Amino acid sequence: DSGVTQTPKHLITATGQRVTLRCSPRSGDLSVYWYQQSLDQGLQFLIQYYNGEERAKGNILERFSAQQFPDLHSELNLSSLELGDSALYFCASSPSWGATDTQYFGPGTRLTVL
Amino acid sequence: TQLLEQSPQFLSIQEGENLTVYCNSSSVFSSLQWYRQEPGEGPVLLVTVVTGGEVKKLKRLTFQFGDARKDSSLHITAAQPGDTGLYLCAGLFYNTNAGKSTFGDGTTLTVKP
């Protein structure tokens, strides 16, 4: 158990819908990262927040957005969902944001778009 | 774009055999992590290496970081069926000022009893 929690574990929805994924980092960690893992693209970095502020951005679509709240939990919002958005979405956390920080992953949310 | 290449992509061996998987880049890492992931689960951290030439051991697993910090290897001795999984390396590159890890595509290891 990494100490990172994610809800829900599974989510099934239809195209065009909007969903929110939630992540609680390990106690004391200030950074939260979001990743997408699909069968054909491996683990792709989406976005990082550090202490409530966006720190780094990866391959995140404009239909996707995230935020980190004062209690340090984070939410990833996915809108206008498409079939290709079906994937595992992982949240990770680390103590800070530095180049040697190790990231600890949550169990993931499996999103299925029908 | 900074890329990590992992090899081999797939590896299927018998219980008791030894194996090595590799992680390479043309850029220098500030740190590198190895993870193991089982289907439908999140990656689980195995080790972090930071210093060039560093060797770390975790039971039957030996991790080596290249002297130039551009490559790493994971060696498993006497593999067991429980070692089956996806092994991912992830690097934080030296010129990145945020914790933006780049992941390799992984090595899928199957250990047959």
Side-chain angles (χ1 to χ4, degrees), chain A residues 13-17 80-83 113-114:
Chain A
T13 188
T15 55
Q17 295 298 305
S80 302
L81 285 168
E82 302 175 359
L83 294 177
V113 182
L114 301 175

Side-chain angles (χ1 to χ4, degrees), chain A residues 9 33 35 37 41-45 48 55-58 88 90 97-108 110, chain B residues 30-31 33 35 37 39-45 48 50 86 88 92-94 96-105:
Chain A
K9 191 165 179 59
Y33 311 78
Y35 291 86
Q37 188 177 40
Q41 289 203 334
L43 203 61
Q44 299 290 320
F45 169 76
Q48 177 203 2
R55 184 78 184 132
K57 219 168 189 177
L88 273 166
F90 290 105
W97 57 268
T100 57
D101 248 25
T102 296
Q103 297 175 28
Y104 296 88
F105 282 77
R110 180 177 291 281
Chain B
S30 57
S31 70
Q33 289 82 39
Y35 293 84
Q37 185 180 20
E41 303 292 330
V44 175
L45 179 69
T48 297
V50 177
L86 176 67
L88 294 162
L92 287 169
F93 287 98
Y94 192 68
T96 301
N97 62 359
K100 181 182 169 182
S101 283
T102 299
F103 279 79
D105 287 339

Side-chain angles (χ1 to χ4, degrees), chain B residues 5-8 20-24 34 72-74 89 107:
Chain B
E5 292 185 355
Q6 287 191 245
S7 61
T20 303
V21 298
Y22 301 92
C23 177
N24 296 285
W34 283 95
S72 181
S73 63
L74 158 59
C89 68
T107 293

Side-chain angles (χ1 to χ4, degrees), chain B residues 14-32:
Chain B
Q14 292 295 133
E15 183 176 1
E17 293 183 0
N18 301 332
L19 67 114
T20 303
V21 298
Y22 301 92
C23 177
N24 296 285
S25 174
S26 58
S27 299
V28 176
F29 298 112
S30 57
S31 70
L32 185 142

